[in-house]
Amino acid sequence: MNTETSQPTSGGEGCLAGAFRIPVKIVALLVVLPVRVVWELLTALGRLLYRHVLRPFSTYILEPVLRALGWLVTTLVKLVFVWPWVGLWRYLLRPVGSWLYTYLLAPVGRVLYGYVLRPLALLTWRYVLLPVGRALIWLAEAAYRYVLRPLYRHVLTPLGRAVAWAWHVAGLITAALWRAFKWTGRILIGWPATQVYRYLLTPVGHLVRAVWRPVRDAAREVRAEVRRALFGAPPVEPARSRARTLGSTTAAGNTPAPEISLPERQG
């Protein structure tokens, strides 16, 4: 195996690349280099202007002027919109209000309370509220003594006792009626129905079943014989006879097994 790497040979492709490389270098020298030089000069000039002109101007001239302008505007706003109202409240309204309360409202209130409101309240309590309260208490006591207590003693208590007695009697009567109704229903309906079912309907049912089964089997046999005589087909074993022969070890014939009625079994 050859492990040496082959080196690209110089040929026509190298000449073509050299032919394009020379114009590119000329364009870069004539266009890109001047632009880059101008950009570097502008950048250096901008840094120089910011460092030695704009920043000192902003620090030592513009910021003090703006701070002074802001302080002036704030002072003018306070002077026009704040300080007049503060001075009005501090030097006029509050002292006037304090003087009015101390030398006018408080004495007038004390006079009114001492010579008008307090005597009026005492008079109202003594000659209006107290008599009205006593009258209401007397009316309540009189109503309790002469109306409520006699009404409770002579009307409500006997009425309650009568209602309780009537309720008790109604309960006794209702219980007696219910027992009588149950006994009547048991005697007039339950016992006759039981006797009819036991001694009439049950034997009749057994008799009907004992008569119906042989007749039904005989009719099936006759139908089978007629079908065999007319069409020559073998008689079809009745489904009930087939059902009786299922599971037995002996072959079942066409003759149905004799059935034993309930009275015969009981006999």
Side-chain angles (χ1 to χ4, degrees):
M1 180 183 296
N2 188 11
T3 58
E4 296 181 357
T5 58
S6 60
Q7 298 292 332
T9 59
S10 61
E13 187 178 357
C15 295
L16 184 61
F20 280 104
R21 191 179 296 114
I22 293 174
V24 170
K25 289 182 177 181
I26 294 174
V27 171
L29 183 62
L30 296 179
V31 177
V32 177
L33 183 60
V35 171
R36 179 62 182 273
V37 171
V38 171
W39 173 256
E40 294 293 339
L41 290 176
L42 291 176
T43 303
L45 182 61
R47 287 196 296 267
L48 185 63
L49 288 176
Y50 174 75
R51 184 178 300 172
H52 298 286
V53 177
L54 295 178
R55 190 168 65 182
F57 176 76
S58 175
T59 303
Y60 299 106
I61 297 176
L62 185 60
E63 290 182 1
V65 170
L66 292 177
R67 284 196 296 268
L69 185 61
W71 176 83
L72 180 61
V73 172
T74 304
T75 304
L76 291 176
V77 169
K78 290 181 180 179
L79 184 63
V80 175
F81 297 103
V82 178
W83 288 345
W85 300 103
V86 173
L88 181 64
W89 166 256
R90 182 177 298 174
Y91 299 107
L92 181 61
L93 296 179
R94 190 171 65 180
V96 170
S98 178
W99 183 86
L100 287 176
Y101 175 78
T102 303
Y103 298 102
L104 182 61
L105 297 178
V108 170
R110 286 193 293 269
V111 170
L112 288 176
Y113 176 74
Y115 296 98
V116 178
L117 296 179
R118 185 175 179 182
L120 184 61
L122 293 176
L123 292 176
T124 303
W125 168 257
R126 181 175 297 176
Y127 297 105
V128 177
L129 297 179
L130 191 60
V132 170
R134 290 174 179 173
L136 292 177
I137 293 173
W138 180 83
L139 287 176
E141 291 179 352
Y144 173 75
R145 181 177 299 175
Y146 299 105
V147 178
L148 295 178
R149 189 166 63 181
L151 180 64
Y152 175 77
R153 180 178 297 177
H154 301 290
V155 177
L156 296 179
T157 301
L159 182 61
R161 291 175 181 174
V163 170
W165 178 81
W167 183 265
H168 179 68
V169 171
L172 295 177
I173 294 173
T174 303
L177 290 176
W178 177 248
R179 287 194 296 269
F181 177 76
K182 289 195 299 182
W183 182 82
T184 304
R186 188 182 301 114
I187 296 300
L188 297 180
I189 299 175
W191 186 81
T194 303
Q195 300 302 318
V196 169
Y197 177 78
R198 180 179 297 174
Y199 297 105
L200 179 61
L201 297 180
T202 301
V204 170
H206 293 168
L207 180 60
V208 169
R209 186 173 59 182
V211 173
W212 169 250
R213 287 180 178 177
V215 173
R216 182 186 60 187
D217 296 337
R220 288 179 180 175
E221 291 295 332
V222 171
R223 188 169 63 248
E225 292 295 334
V226 170
R227 185 182 297 111
R228 184 176 59 183
L230 293 177
F231 302 103
V236 180
E237 184 182 0
R240 192 171 186 86
S241 300
R242 292 198 305 270
R244 273 198 297 270
T245 57
L246 290 177
S248 62
T249 57
T250 60
N254 294 328
T255 304
E259 297 197 10
I260 301 174
S261 61
L262 183 59
E264 295 178 356
R265 291 178 182 177
Q266 293 178 355

